[in-house]
Amino acid sequence: MPAERVDLLGTTLRVDHLASFNRVDIALDPFPQNGGVSTLEALQMGVPVVAKLGNSLPSRAAGSILTALGLPDWVTDSEEAYVDIAVSRATEIDDLDKLRRELPGQVRAAPACNPVAYAQAADEAYRAMWKRYCSSDA
Protein backbone atom coordinates (compact mmCIF):
# COMPACT_ATOMS: atom_id res chain seq x y z
CA MET A 1 0.00 0.00 0.00
CA PRO A 2 1.43 3.41 -0.87
CA ALA A 3 2.47 5.48 2.14
CA GLU A 4 0.26 8.39 1.07
CA ARG A 5 -2.80 6.19 1.62
CA VAL A 6 -1.94 5.61 5.28
CA ASP A 7 -2.86 8.19 7.93
CA LEU A 8 -1.52 7.84 11.45
CA LEU A 9 -3.87 9.91 13.58
CA GLY A 10 -2.18 9.56 16.95
CA THR A 11 -4.10 10.43 20.09
CA THR A 12 -7.64 11.67 19.46
CA LEU A 13 -10.75 12.41 21.43
CA ARG A 14 -13.29 9.57 21.35
CA VAL A 15 -15.67 11.55 19.17
CA ASP A 16 -12.84 12.18 16.67
CA HIS A 17 -11.78 8.54 16.84
CA LEU A 18 -15.28 7.38 15.93
CA ALA A 19 -15.63 10.08 13.25
CA SER A 20 -12.45 8.77 11.60
CA PHE A 21 -14.42 5.66 10.58
CA ASN A 22 -16.31 7.91 8.16
CA ARG A 23 -13.15 7.86 6.04
CA VAL A 24 -13.03 4.05 5.85
CA ASP A 25 -14.87 1.87 3.33
CA ILE A 26 -13.89 -1.56 4.65
CA ALA A 27 -11.88 -2.31 7.79
CA LEU A 28 -9.24 -5.02 7.76
CA ASP A 29 -9.16 -6.67 11.14
CA PRO A 30 -5.62 -7.38 12.32
CA PHE A 31 -4.26 -10.88 12.73
CA PRO A 32 -3.01 -13.02 14.36
CA GLN A 33 -4.85 -11.15 17.15
CA ASN A 34 -8.18 -9.59 16.20
CA GLY A 35 -9.25 -6.09 17.14
CA GLY A 36 -12.27 -6.85 19.34
CA VAL A 37 -13.35 -3.41 20.53
CA SER A 38 -12.06 -1.68 17.40
CA THR A 39 -13.91 -4.27 15.32
CA LEU A 40 -17.15 -3.51 17.10
CA GLU A 41 -16.54 0.24 16.85
CA ALA A 42 -16.07 -0.03 13.09
CA LEU A 43 -19.30 -2.01 12.74
CA GLN A 44 -21.19 0.45 14.97
CA MET A 45 -20.01 3.23 12.68
CA GLY A 46 -21.23 1.36 9.59
CA VAL A 47 -17.87 0.05 8.41
CA PRO A 48 -17.85 -3.64 7.48
CA VAL A 49 -14.85 -5.65 8.68
CA VAL A 50 -12.94 -8.50 7.07
CA ALA A 51 -11.60 -10.93 9.67
CA LYS A 52 -9.20 -13.85 9.57
CA LEU A 53 -9.66 -16.58 12.15
CA GLY A 54 -6.74 -17.93 14.11
CA ASN A 55 -6.42 -20.71 16.66
CA SER A 56 -6.63 -18.72 19.90
CA LEU A 57 -9.47 -16.89 21.61
CA PRO A 58 -8.06 -13.42 20.79
CA SER A 59 -7.67 -14.43 17.15
CA ARG A 60 -11.31 -15.46 16.87
CA ALA A 61 -13.04 -12.46 18.48
CA ALA A 62 -13.81 -10.61 15.26
CA GLY A 63 -15.14 -13.77 13.63
CA SER A 64 -17.51 -14.25 16.55
CA ILE A 65 -18.71 -10.66 16.38
CA LEU A 66 -19.27 -10.77 12.62
CA THR A 67 -21.02 -14.14 12.78
CA ALA A 68 -23.29 -12.96 15.59
CA LEU A 69 -24.28 -10.00 13.41
CA GLY A 70 -25.14 -12.28 10.48
CA LEU A 71 -21.97 -11.53 8.52
CA PRO A 72 -20.11 -14.88 8.47
CA ASP A 73 -19.19 -14.35 4.81
CA TRP A 74 -16.82 -11.56 5.95
CA VAL A 75 -14.82 -14.14 7.95
CA THR A 76 -12.20 -16.58 6.69
CA ASP A 77 -9.40 -18.76 7.93
CA SER A 78 -6.90 -18.13 5.13
CA GLU A 79 -4.80 -15.12 4.19
CA GLU A 80 -5.68 -15.53 0.51
CA ALA A 81 -9.43 -15.49 1.20
CA TYR A 82 -8.96 -12.51 3.54
CA VAL A 83 -7.56 -10.50 0.62
CA ASP A 84 -10.16 -11.90 -1.79
CA ILE A 85 -13.05 -10.87 0.47
CA ALA A 86 -11.72 -7.32 0.83
CA VAL A 87 -11.03 -6.90 -2.89
CA SER A 88 -14.31 -8.41 -4.09
CA ARG A 89 -16.47 -6.52 -1.57
CA ALA A 90 -14.76 -3.24 -2.43
CA THR A 91 -16.00 -3.59 -6.02
CA GLU A 92 -19.62 -4.19 -4.96
CA ILE A 93 -20.32 -0.50 -4.40
CA ASP A 94 -24.13 -0.68 -4.18
CA ASP A 95 -24.08 -3.67 -1.79
CA LEU A 96 -21.37 -2.03 0.28
CA ASP A 97 -23.30 1.22 0.50
CA LYS A 98 -26.46 -0.62 1.60
CA LEU A 99 -24.56 -2.62 4.22
CA ARG A 100 -22.92 0.53 5.57
CA ARG A 101 -26.35 2.10 6.09
CA GLU A 102 -27.74 -1.04 7.78
CA LEU A 103 -24.80 -1.98 10.02
CA PRO A 104 -25.33 0.50 12.86
CA GLY A 105 -28.91 -0.74 13.31
CA GLN A 106 -27.82 -4.39 13.12
CA VAL A 107 -25.27 -3.75 15.86
CA ARG A 108 -27.80 -1.93 18.07
CA ALA A 109 -30.29 -4.79 17.59
CA ALA A 110 -27.80 -7.54 18.42
CA PRO A 111 -28.38 -9.13 21.84
CA ALA A 112 -24.73 -8.64 22.83
CA CYS A 113 -25.04 -4.89 22.19
CA ASN A 114 -28.33 -4.50 24.01
CA PRO A 115 -27.68 -4.57 27.77
CA VAL A 116 -31.36 -5.07 28.66
CA ALA A 117 -31.82 -7.98 26.24
CA TYR A 118 -28.48 -9.44 27.30
CA ALA A 119 -29.40 -9.26 31.00
CA GLN A 120 -32.78 -10.89 30.30
CA ALA A 121 -31.15 -13.70 28.31
CA ALA A 122 -28.53 -14.25 31.02
CA ASP A 123 -31.27 -14.26 33.69
CA GLU A 124 -33.29 -16.83 31.74
CA ALA A 125 -30.21 -19.01 31.26
CA TYR A 126 -29.31 -18.89 34.98
CA ARG A 127 -32.90 -19.70 35.97
CA ALA A 128 -32.99 -22.65 33.58
CA MET A 129 -29.69 -23.96 34.94
CA TRP A 130 -30.89 -23.54 38.54
CA LYS A 131 -34.19 -25.34 37.82
CA ARG A 132 -32.30 -28.16 36.10
CA TYR A 133 -29.94 -28.43 39.09
CA CYS A 134 -32.81 -28.39 41.60
CA SER A 135 -34.67 -31.13 39.74
CA SER A 136 -31.59 -33.36 39.53
CA ASP A 137 -30.28 -35.74 42.19
CA ALA A 138 -27.31 -33.47 42.95
Side-chain angles (χ1 to χ4, degrees):
M1 176 177 297
E4 62 270 5
R5 295 195 59 201
V6 177
D7 290 330
L8 299 176
L9 302 179
T11 303
T12 59
L13 297 173
R14 177 131 178 92
V15 67
D16 296 330
H17 165 70
L18 293 175
S20 69
F21 284 106
N22 294 326
R23 300 169 50 202
V24 179
D25 294 318
I26 295 174
L28 303 175
D29 211 62
F31 60 87
Q33 180 164 326
N34 293 165
V37 171
S38 58
T39 303
L40 194 52
E41 287 175 334
L43 296 164
Q44 287 173 318
M45 295 302 294
V47 178
V49 178
V50 180
K52 180 185 172 298
L53 297 175
N55 295 320
S56 65
L57 180 63
S59 68
R60 301 181 75 81
S64 294
I65 293 167
L66 289 163
T67 300
L69 291 174
L71 301 168
D73 50 329
W74 287 80
V75 181
T76 185
D77 59 2
S78 80
E79 291 180 25
E80 295 79 20
Y82 178 88
V83 172
D84 290 344
I85 291 169
V87 170
S88 68
R89 296 302 174 104
T91 63
E92 300 168 356
I93 303 300
D94 291 338
D95 292 340
L96 187 58
D97 185 50
K98 181 178 186 268
L99 179 58
R100 288 184 56 109
R101 287 191 313 272
E102 294 172 350
L103 266 175
Q106 281 180 248
V107 172
R108 282 191 303 274
C113 297
N114 180 330
V116 173
Y118 181 83
Q120 288 172 339
D123 180 59
E124 290 170 13
Y126 289 139
R127 285 182 189 278
M129 287 183 272
W130 179 249
K131 287 178 181 178
R132 203 168 35 248
Y133 173 78
C134 290
S135 66
S136 72
D137 292 334

